[in-house]
Amino acid sequence: MGDLVLVTGASGFVGSAVARKLAERGDRVRVLVRKSSPRTNLADFPCEIAEGDMRDAASMARAAEGARYVFHVAADYRLWARDPEEIVRNNLEGTRATMRAALAAGAERVVYTSSVATLKPVAGTSVDETSRHDETSAVGAYKRSKVVAERLVEHMIAKDGLPAVIVHPSTPIGPRDVKPTPTGRIIVEAASGRMPAFVATGLNLVHVDDVADGHLLALERGRIGETYVLGGEDVSLKDMLGVIARETGRRAPRLELPRAPLYPLAHLAEGIASLTGKEPFLTVDALKMARHHMFFTSAKAERELGYRARPYAEGLTDAIAWFRRAGYIR
């Protein structure tokens, strides 16, 4: 019987990939899931389900009891909410409760899943872990929430002896994106022929299973208090859409749109969303983020952890195949 490992967010995209990798290597995996969370991603590997909420100290204490290792992967990953501060509260208080529970349980090592959202893009280069946002420079509630949560973890490492390693996944793609994530929505829309145009931006794409491998490497080889980017390849949105078009036998979009005229549409979409409660495809914060090419380097993780990532196109192929099987793409 392997070590008992707690994984939060295991019903989601990255969390389920991490939990599956742990189960494959023989660990006893306990997953924290909310009562309302879908269990689709938990069906094909052995795990113990602990129902609870990352923001609730009591349920976190129960979930962490006896765990040798804790992976805090859960996050409120939305680029829009009726109350944007709800995203900040959820990610900050969820992280606080999880880290306190890990300390109280005597966990030997914690891997905290931050995000490249906490890193500041710089034009013309792929930035590393040293290019840091603060609360004022981070665009939107989600990025701000990850900044304040990461600073909390760093404070607890320094002041409370929290034995944590911090990882920064870039933009994961691949199978089992059940929600789907904002990037997964782009893949579905493009593969369905519903993205006739694009804006000039760029992002770093990485297969979700490589991100999961990076989490395990951080557990085994990461230095407490250090941060590691877990990325793949820097890609323009135009090139990403071109690969999706080839995979699906569609014509790649050729119309490049300026961002400025899209802002009124984004405000309109958010206004409609405030009435329906459904997250809009186009948001003001997403347009603001698109001003930057969000390019990152994983050199530190490659050097210190032995991290490697496959070509991003393989992630797109796997994502499209899974979305088709799951009925997202018809």
Side-chain angles (χ1 to χ4, degrees):
M1 188 69 73
D3 295 314
L4 178 59
V5 186
L6 172 65
V7 182
T8 70
S11 63
F13 186 32
V14 175
S16 65
V18 172
R20 185 175 287 100
K21 293 281 186 181
L22 290 165
E24 287 173 357
R25 77 172 195 174
D27 288 318
R28 294 167 52 210
V29 180
R30 179 183 293 159
V31 298
L32 178 84
V33 295
R34 289 175 296 173
K35 191 172 184 179
S36 60
S37 294
R39 309 296 165 90
T40 308
N41 279 348
L42 305 176
D44 61 350
F45 65 92
C47 62
E48 171 192 338
I49 293 178
E51 287 191 350
D53 191 302
M54 67 174 180
R55 299 165 297 182
D56 178 63
S59 63
M60 282 310 313
R62 289 192 298 271
E65 185 177 0
R68 183 177 182 185
Y69 305 124
V70 174
F71 287 81
H72 181 41
V73 190
D76 185 345
Y77 182 20
R78 292 178 292 167
L79 299 184
W80 177 89
R82 279 195 177 113
D83 175 13
E85 290 307 308
E86 180 183 46
I87 299 172
V88 180
R89 289 193 300 272
N90 287 347
N91 286 332
L92 178 59
E93 296 310 317
T95 299
R96 191 190 313 278
T98 304
M99 297 303 116
R100 285 179 172 173
L103 277 171
E108 184 178 311
R109 180 67 64 99
V110 176
V111 177
Y112 169 65
T113 308
S114 186
S115 167
V116 292
T118 69
L119 304 179
K120 186 184 296 186
V122 176
T125 189
S126 300
V127 302
D128 63 14
E129 296 82 357
T130 62
S131 184
R132 291 157 59 98
H133 272 304
D134 57 31
E135 283 187 67
T136 59
S137 65
V139 174
Y142 173 71
K143 286 195 172 189
R144 187 155 43 86
S145 77
K146 295 301 286 186
V147 168
V148 296
E150 184 179 300
R151 299 297 170 265
L152 171 67
V153 173
E154 291 172 336
H155 176 80
M156 294 182 73
I157 292 169
K159 300 297 183 183
D160 302 322
L162 179 71
V165 179
I166 299 171
V167 294
H168 296 93
S170 60
T171 306
I173 53 175
R176 302 178 299 274
D177 189 359
V178 292
K179 193 175 179 180
T181 60
T183 313
R185 292 176 71 188
I186 291 174
I187 294 170
V188 170
E189 293 300 305
S192 302
R194 295 192 292 263
M195 277 195 69
F198 60 92
V199 295
T201 191
L203 62 171
N204 184 284
L205 295 175
V206 60
H207 197 294
V208 68
D209 290 337
D210 294 333
V211 171
D213 285 334
H215 278 70
L216 271 64
L217 288 168
L219 176 72
E220 296 163 1
R221 304 177 186 176
R223 292 181 287 140
I224 290 173
E226 290 295 320
T227 62
Y228 300 93
V229 172
L230 304 178
E233 293 182 84
D234 293 333
V235 187
S236 70
L237 178 58
K238 179 181 179 180
D239 287 346
M240 172 186 169
L241 296 175
V243 172
I244 295 170
R246 289 194 296 274
E247 285 284 334
T248 56
R250 296 184 180 275
R251 291 184 61 182
R254 297 180 179 179
L255 179 60
E256 181 179 316
L257 297 176
R259 282 183 298 275
L262 296 176
Y263 279 97
L265 293 176
H267 283 291
L268 176 62
E270 291 186 4
I272 294 171
S274 67
L275 299 175
T276 64
K278 185 177 179 181
E279 189 174 352
F281 185 67
L282 181 66
T283 69
V284 173
D285 283 345
L287 284 176
K288 290 179 180 178
M289 293 176 198
R291 292 183 309 194
H292 307 284
H293 282 62
M294 290 169 281
F295 289 167
F296 304 94
T297 174
S298 304
K300 181 179 177 182
E302 292 168 3
R303 184 174 63 251
E304 295 192 14
L305 307 181
Y307 172 76
R308 296 292 183 271
R310 72 197 77 180
Y312 82 93
E314 294 182 21
L316 288 175
T317 298
D318 289 350
I320 291 166
W322 186 87
F323 282 131
R324 276 186 171 142
R325 289 195 302 272
Y328 294 71
I329 300 170
R330 301 185 187 281

